[in-house]
Amino acid sequence: MTFDYHEPTSVREAIELSARFGGDGRFLAGGTDLMVQIHRGRLNPRHVVSLQCVPGLDGIEVDGAVRLGARVTHRRLESAEAFQGALRGLAEGAEVVGGHQVRNVATVGGNIVNASPAADVVVVLLALDATLTCLGPAGERTVALDGFATAPGVTGLRPNELLTRASFPRLAPRSATVFLKAGRRRAMEISIACVAARVTLDDLERCQDVRIALGAVAPTAIRARAAERHLEARPLTDGLMRETGRIAAAECRPIGDVRASARYRALLVATLVPRALARCLERIKLGAP
Amino acid sequence: MDAPGKVTGTALYAADFALPGMLYGKVLRSSEPHARLVRIDAGRAARLPGVRAVITAADVPDVRYGGSVKDERVFARDRIRFAGQPLAAVAATSPDAAAAALTAIEVVCEPLRPVFDVAAALAPGAPLVHDAWASYTALPILHRDGNVCNRARIVVGDVERGFVEADRVFENRFTTSSVHQGYTEPRAAVAQWDSSGQVTVWSNTQLPFEIQTTLAEILQLPPSKVRVIVPGIGGGFGGKLRIGVEHFAALLAMKTGRPVKVMTTSEEELTAAYARQPATVAVKTGVTNDGRLTAREARLWFDTGAFAGSGPGVASVATLMLAGPYRIPNLLLEGFAVYTNKTNFGSFRAPSGPQANFAVESQMDIIADALGLDPLELRLKNIVREGEEGPTGQVLTAVGLEECLRRAADAIGWRDRRPEVGRGKGIACGWWTTTGGSSGVYVKVNPDGTVALNTGAAEIGTAALTGAAQVLAEDLGVQMADINVVSADTLSTPFDFGAQGSRTAFAVGNACRAAVADLKRQILALASKHLGVEESALALREGSVVGAGKRATLGELARISQASGGGLIAHGTFVAPPTPYDTKRVEGHVYPAFHSPSFHAHATDLSVDAETGEITIHRYVVAQDVGFAMNPAAIEGQIEGGVAQGLGQALSEEIVYENGRVLNANLTDYKMPTARDVPRVESILVQHPSLVGPFGAKGVGEPPNIEPPAAIANAVASATGVRITSLPITAEKVALALRERAK
């Protein structure tokens, strides 16, 4: 395990270095995935380009939209004031990742480009309709997070491109977000299934806008679109929420592995989806004037 | 005594140990579980940069070693018996260079038909893991046959008659998974040879004297040419009893002429260490309608892996655990250690205890439910009492079990066993040994009045040597702060049977008492002469000898003795007196009676999520008969740690095998509980003094690890009505069982 370590001080310099190294280079943010993969011999980059000293990548901006710099850590998502209200689901997704040491360094950008199907924060961002800003030698482009990951560890990021931020629109009034996760232990745990829900209710208590995203039950984090459609313009009754859970369970494509069986993963989706919806409802009611 | 250094990070461990010019060793391990080794070619690896030596079976003496059966070699010679078996070792100037060299070693082998579990190993016509088993040197007492490297048996009365006397007979089967000890510090050793042909090995072993003997056997040297020193141990729990990496370090150091350090990775720990044996347990128990146990026939099969290791002994202990702490007039109990193509599973804190207890104590609740009895009452009706016999006829004394059961039940609020839907309480009890074996100490009074305790035992982190020092301080009338401990060096410290079996504070403490008795005679004789006062008028008090209005400090007397007679020094020894038992009741048994047994009960209160199966533990109570609580804070620490480890085995931990290969050989997927998973553990120290232990103490380190799986299983059954008969009791198993029942 040997590589040259580079510490550029601007985005431009980082991209130049990346263009120079091509397939031999990797960006380093928190390193909680990259270093493990290098250590286990799965990746062997000759050049590691640290983003540590690149300015402008660690902001949390909230105005018309919410913008998260790629280097924003899980710890900051957990503790940001902006994510204690209707966006609480984002803090909930962040605070269950790894342990304190991991969350102190692990970043939003790293979580997205690592493209694990079990990436907790990615599941919440999917439910928030997040878009990604990628900067490369040819300039900047914006792509949807949904569909960005195409397989475990594979994304639509182009060679030499740097993911600089994730953005999502602010929530309408009467909205809430919730994240729920199941695993074998309460910390240092990779989800065996996780669910993020975002609900906006209209004045008649009907679902005006709903997103349901699922983690660890398909090759990538996915949206449960049939389940979302099932709720359109309907009030969230217990029966409807349970039905929606069953629909989500039917549209996920889990595998069985050493962490859990496919059957249990689907069962968890059927259970966690209605719980997440019910909690959204509860939060909207609590938050309503 | 060792706590401040460990808490502040200044304590030295074997993994920290380094010498100038030291090389780093790595071990090439087989990826095949069962194969004929055709060829191994290290030529290319040896020429890589930084590589100083590559050794294979061809470079080491052809020796088979092992404690009870000599069936293991340093490297596979012609036959590979498990995925993870050492094939070669490399010494290089950096760990990376050594790791790179491993990938350059060419191995050619032809796969053989494997046996991956006990059922396959015992099937008619199963391949033999050791074709030549019958020719191996082994303890003559063992009952060996093909893939069975020991069958230990206890027979009492007539079980068939007992089943006829019973109103109901219950038959249940249980399985447990392999779990790793989870010590924080991997196994590590540094070896260095000197010009006299002596090798010194610094290792984190629990048993320096056993490692010395095994190394001497492997290296074909007299034991006096092998010196083993334990600089510190970052946790062992039985996983560091047998040889780990010491032999690789010694052999590579011999070949290179330089010190060599070898340390395992997490992957090696989870594939090729001495994790707890997976077990299958079949228990058949006869009982009258009013809840009196009339007979038990039980068999426990351990998967011991490719080598016998601790298996034959642990299978023996298992039979005592299958009886449980119960009075059952008719018993037929068998423990089997069975060879398979897996790593050599070994000893783990209370070896055999959790597996057998999970089965027996789960069945006690099954019986209670079926008979409509309270599980606590069923236990109280059948537990052993003071003066009664254990399963092999040993007479039991200092039996604090009823008090343990009653106090644990009271503390958990047993009267309200199912306080709400999905919530339930469970209880389990058991017994355990305080392992015997001998301990020697030297105790020396220094000229400044401090005292040196020299012991062959290693401080494994249980505060056992703190306990021994407390005994010494109490008897000699000095302060704890005045005692310094020198330990675990086979050249300079007296023999000790080692940090195992909950024995260290017990045995070293008693050896200290013997040494102080001798030392007191020397001190009083000298003081009498010096002070001119009759010995009978003198007493030791607060670091001085006082009497007839006169006083001499221990320092003063040590200085006088050094000037005139070589110093105040005493040798104390202890060996646990044999526990008489009925030899006619046992066969193939290497552990027929429990010395100074301890008794314990665990109770827990938990909730089960009816949909996800997730278990939330509200309270966990342990009532343990410790004989005499020498150091209550340290004992509570042992109980809390033992329960945390036991809950891991109960709920989340398992080494998962598929076709002989480990699927989760990393700490991401091997799930030890975190601080957020372990509830506060409430300890109740019950004290029925043992006749032998120092001040009545009994062994305390292992027992807290025994009952958690059964206590959890019983509480889950109480909460849900679903009985899980395999470990770990994961949320998945519970959820799917609840779903099956709903159908």
Side-chain angles (χ1 to χ4, degrees):
Chain A
M1 179 182 65
T2 53
F3 49 77
D4 289 341
Y5 176 78
H6 306 269
E7 230 173 52
T9 54
S10 70
V11 175
R12 173 193 294 256
E13 194 191 341
I15 289 167
E16 279 171 9
L17 283 170
S18 169
R20 172 142 44 101
F21 303 140
D24 288 341
R26 296 292 293 210
F27 288 120
L28 169 73
T32 55
D33 283 305
L34 180 67
M35 293 313 296
V36 172
Q37 302 217 38
I38 291 175
H39 197 75
R40 290 185 180 165
R42 289 185 199 145
L43 283 175
N44 193 16
R46 297 199 22 221
H47 298 274
V48 168
V49 179
S50 169
L51 302 174
Q52 198 59 43
C53 300
V54 175
L57 295 180
D58 61 355
I60 298 179
E61 294 168 26
V62 182
D63 41 46
V66 179
R67 287 180 297 279
L68 306 173
R71 241 182 56 226
V72 167
T73 61
H74 286 65
R75 168 67 77 226
R76 288 187 56 212
L77 291 183
E78 274 177 84
S79 46
E81 193 60 39
F83 309 137
Q84 299 305 314
L87 288 169
R88 178 88 190 98
L90 194 53
E92 288 172 334
E95 72 194 5
V96 293
V97 171
H100 294 283
Q101 295 92 329
V102 167
R103 296 200 298 277
N104 281 338
V105 293
T107 65
V108 172
N111 207 224
I112 295 168
V113 299
N114 187 54
S116 159
D120 295 322
V121 164
V122 172
V123 177
V124 188
L125 290 173
L126 260 186
L128 290 167
D129 290 342
T131 56
L132 308 176
T133 304
C134 306
L135 189 64
E140 195 174 85
R141 65 182 180 118
T142 302
V143 295
L145 172 64
D146 192 9
F148 181 69
T150 52
V154 183
T155 70
L157 198 68
R158 293 174 186 155
N160 314 325
E161 250 184 352
L162 174 66
L163 171 68
T164 56
R165 64 176 179 271
S167 314
F168 54 88
R170 286 189 72 166
L171 298 185
R174 309 208 68 214
S175 297
T177 56
V178 162
F179 175 83
L180 295 175
K181 159 173 179 168
R184 204 176 274 196
R185 56 187 176 189
R186 289 179 161 80
M188 298 302 294
E189 185 66 349
I190 295 171
S191 291
I192 57 179
C194 60
V195 171
R198 168 166 69 88
V199 174
T200 303
L201 296 182
D202 65 15
D203 293 338
L204 298 170
E205 308 298 325
R206 296 173 310 197
C207 291
Q208 181 178 309
D209 199 12
V210 175
R211 291 290 181 276
I212 296 168
L214 310 174
V217 290
T220 66
I222 56 166
R223 271 180 50 194
R225 286 195 158 78
E228 291 172 359
R229 278 195 302 276
H230 191 65
L231 294 173
E232 269 171 25
R234 300 171 74 178
L236 285 174
T237 61
D238 286 352
L240 181 67
M241 290 189 281
R242 275 200 299 276
E243 271 170 39
T244 308
R246 284 195 289 272
I247 293 167
E251 66 184 309
C252 69
R253 289 165 288 145
I255 56 163
D257 63 9
V258 71
R259 292 171 191 155
S261 68
R263 184 180 170 209
Y264 184 54
R265 285 190 156 107
L267 186 154
L268 286 172
V269 169
T271 302
L272 296 183
V273 164
R275 285 186 188 182
L277 293 169
R279 197 167 293 182
C280 281
L281 191 61
E282 205 175 286
R283 284 184 182 172
I284 292 169
K285 285 185 176 158
L286 283 172
Chain B
M1 294 173 89
D2 52 316
K6 287 174 176 169
V7 172
T8 57
T10 56
L12 181 75
Y13 294 95
D16 299 319
F17 196 83
L19 290 171
M22 188 172 82
L23 300 172
Y24 297 87
K26 291 263 182 202
V27 180
L28 177 69
R29 295 177 180 279
S30 169
S31 56
E32 281 296 324
H34 196 195
R36 193 171 73 81
L37 181 55
V38 178
R39 192 168 59 84
I40 184 158
D41 183 355
R44 195 162 70 82
R47 289 188 298 273
L48 287 176
V51 174
R52 294 292 177 267
V54 185
I55 55 173
T56 68
D59 303 293
V60 304
D62 185 12
V63 173
R64 272 201 312 264
Y65 59 90
S68 51
V69 182
K70 295 196 184 299
D71 57 6
E72 184 165 13
R73 289 187 171 100
V74 175
F75 297 114
R77 191 160 281 266
D78 44 22
R79 177 100 164 254
I80 291 166
R81 291 187 168 85
F82 74 95
Q85 188 172 357
L87 303 178
V90 173
T93 50
S94 72
D96 282 348
L102 294 186
T103 64
I105 299 172
E106 289 164 43
V107 178
V108 180
C109 55
E110 291 169 356
L112 297 170
R113 186 156 75 96
V115 286
F116 288 138
D117 56 38
V118 165
L122 297 180
L128 289 175
V129 176
H130 293 269
D131 295 323
W133 66 271
S135 69
Y136 291 170
T137 305
L139 292 179
I141 198 175
L142 303 183
H143 281 241
R144 299 186 300 137
D145 184 10
N147 284 333
V148 174
C149 62
N150 191 26
R151 187 204 65 202
R153 178 184 270 178
I154 296 176
V155 182
V156 183
D158 177 350
V159 282
E160 290 311 323
R161 202 185 62 221
F163 290 132
V164 170
E165 284 169 13
D167 295 311
R168 301 278 300 270
V169 176
F170 293 83
E171 289 194 66
N172 302 95
R173 207 172 171 89
F174 302 86
T175 58
T176 70
S177 291
S178 178
V179 287
H180 190 272
Q181 293 83 354
Y183 32 76
T184 311
E185 183 197 31
R187 289 171 296 158
V190 176
Q192 183 177 41
W193 293 75
D194 69 17
S195 55
S196 75
Q198 175 185 282
V199 62
T200 302
V201 179
W202 292 265
S203 145
N204 51 15
T205 178
Q206 297 172 235
L207 306 184
F209 290 91
E210 175 171 316
I211 295 301
Q212 178 190 35
T213 310
T214 308
L215 277 176
E217 200 175 353
I218 289 171
L219 299 168
Q220 302 278 282
L221 289 173
S224 58
K225 288 288 185 192
V226 179
R227 179 181 186 183
V228 179
I229 300 172
V230 182
I233 310 178
F237 313 104
K240 293 171 179 169
L241 300 175
R242 311 282 170 249
I243 199 152
V245 291
E246 296 86 353
H247 48 334
F248 303 123
L251 289 160
L252 288 168
M254 180 162 70
K255 177 100 173 191
T256 58
R258 286 169 66 173
V260 176
K261 179 173 192 167
V262 183
M263 190 155 87
T264 55
T265 61
S266 300
E267 187 181 348
E268 287 177 295
E269 283 299 333
L270 289 161
T271 53
Y274 300 108
R276 197 188 283 286
Q277 297 96 349
T280 303
V281 196
V283 195
K284 179 180 177 186
T285 302
V287 59
T288 59
N289 281 331
D290 64 351
R292 191 170 47 83
L293 303 181
T294 61
R296 173 169 293 160
E297 180 174 349
R299 288 183 180 80
L300 185 153
W301 294 269
F302 282 129
D303 181 341
T304 193
F307 306 102
S310 302
V314 176
S316 301
V317 178
T319 57
L320 293 168
M321 295 305 284
L322 287 173
Y326 298 113
R327 188 178 353 97
I328 310 177
N330 303 291
L331 295 170
L332 170 54
L333 308 171
E334 292 184 323
F336 298 83
V338 182
Y339 286 129
T340 66
N341 291 115
K342 294 218 211 55
T343 188
N344 176 209
F345 298 105
S347 297
F348 179 164
R349 196 172 191 169
S352 85
Q355 298 103 311
N357 188 261
F358 170 60
V360 164
E361 288 296 280
S362 290
Q363 195 192 48
M364 286 301 278
D365 270 37
I366 292 171
I367 293 171
D369 284 352
L371 297 181
L373 296 173
D374 181 305
L376 174 65
E377 292 306 320
L378 177 67
R379 286 178 173 81
L380 289 172
K381 194 168 273 201
N382 290 285
I383 54 172
V384 288
R385 313 271 171 173
E386 190 72 24
E388 291 184 344
E389 277 186 1
T392 55
Q394 73 175 99
V395 177
L396 301 169
T397 56
V399 183
L401 184 53
E402 178 173 356
E403 186 180 342
C404 289
L405 274 166
R406 289 195 186 279
R407 290 181 68 182
D410 282 350
I412 208 76
W414 187 253
R415 276 169 211 286
D416 191 11
R417 256 209 320 141
R418 293 184 180 91
E420 57 194 48
V421 175
R423 183 166 179 175
K425 295 172 188 175
I427 200 163
C429 65
W431 69 318
W432 190 248
T433 183
T434 307
T435 294
S438 84
S439 285
V441 298
Y442 304 143
V443 176
K444 183 178 76 165
V445 182
N446 294 317
D448 61 358
T450 62
V451 178
L453 165 59
N454 184 326
T455 163
E459 175 55 74
I460 194 183
T462 57
L465 292 184
T466 299
Q470 281 180 274
V471 172
L472 176 59
E474 180 72 23
D475 273 4
L476 197 55
V478 299
Q479 297 292 312
M480 277 293 283
D482 290 332
I483 297 178
N484 290 298
V485 178
V486 180
S487 72
D489 174 348
T490 58
L491 182 67
S492 63
T493 61
F495 175 79
D496 192 280
F497 190 56
Q500 60 177 333
S502 304
R503 64 173 294 281
T504 312
F506 184 95
V508 181
N510 268 339
C512 285
R513 302 205 80 174
V516 171
D518 177 8
L519 204 52
K520 267 186 176 170
R521 281 191 290 275
Q522 298 180 38
I523 289 167
L524 293 180
L526 186 64
S528 169
K529 210 164 121 192
H530 174 61
L531 298 173
V533 178
E534 283 290 316
E535 269 185 54
S536 57
L538 294 173
L540 264 168
R541 201 165 299 140
E542 290 169 5
S544 295
V545 178
V546 292
K550 295 185 178 175
R551 173 186 198 92
T553 67
L554 284 181
E556 204 177 333
L557 294 168
R559 290 194 294 277
I560 293 168
S561 175
Q562 284 194 358
S564 60
L568 292 171
I569 182 162
H571 179 203
T573 62
F574 170 76
V575 62
T579 305
Y581 65 98
D582 181 353
T583 53
K584 293 191 295 298
R585 297 186 186 185
V586 297
E587 271 176 39
H589 215 290
V590 299
Y591 208 110
F594 278 175
H595 302 279
S596 299
S598 63
F599 299 89
H600 4 88
H602 290 209
T604 186
D605 171 6
L606 54 77
S607 290
V608 178
D609 185 315
E611 290 175 307
T612 65
E614 195 182 340
I615 292 164
T616 303
I617 302 171
H618 306 296
R619 291 184 61 209
Y620 199 100
V621 176
V622 175
Q624 182 169 333
D625 179 3
V626 300
F628 167 73
M630 253 188 228
N631 187 330
I635 292 173
E636 283 168 14
Q638 285 303 296
I639 291 175
E640 287 159 16
V643 169
Q645 220 168 18
L647 291 177
Q649 170 155 19
L651 294 166
S652 61
E653 293 181 46
E654 61 184 313
I655 299 178
V656 182
Y657 279 88
E658 187 178 74
N659 295 327
R661 294 186 178 87
V662 176
L663 295 182
N664 58 341
N666 59 69
L667 296 178
T668 307
D669 286 318
Y670 181 78
K671 309 285 188 187
M672 285 185 275
T674 69
R676 293 199 55 199
D677 297 291
V678 180
R680 194 169 76 82
V681 177
E682 300 162 53
S683 301
I684 298 168
L685 305 186
V686 173
Q687 305 189 52
H688 290 240
S690 94
L691 300 177
V692 182
F695 301 95
K698 298 174 180 176
V700 299
E702 294 169 295
N705 201 222
I706 295 172
E707 287 91 350
I712 293 288
N714 289 342
V716 167
S718 168
T720 63
V722 163
R723 169 66 53 183
I724 305 295
T725 56
S726 69
L727 295 182
I729 301 167
T730 59
E732 170 165 356
K733 280 184 197 167
V734 175
L736 296 181
L738 284 166
R739 185 113 332 184
E740 287 303 317
R741 193 187 53 175
K743 275 181 185 167

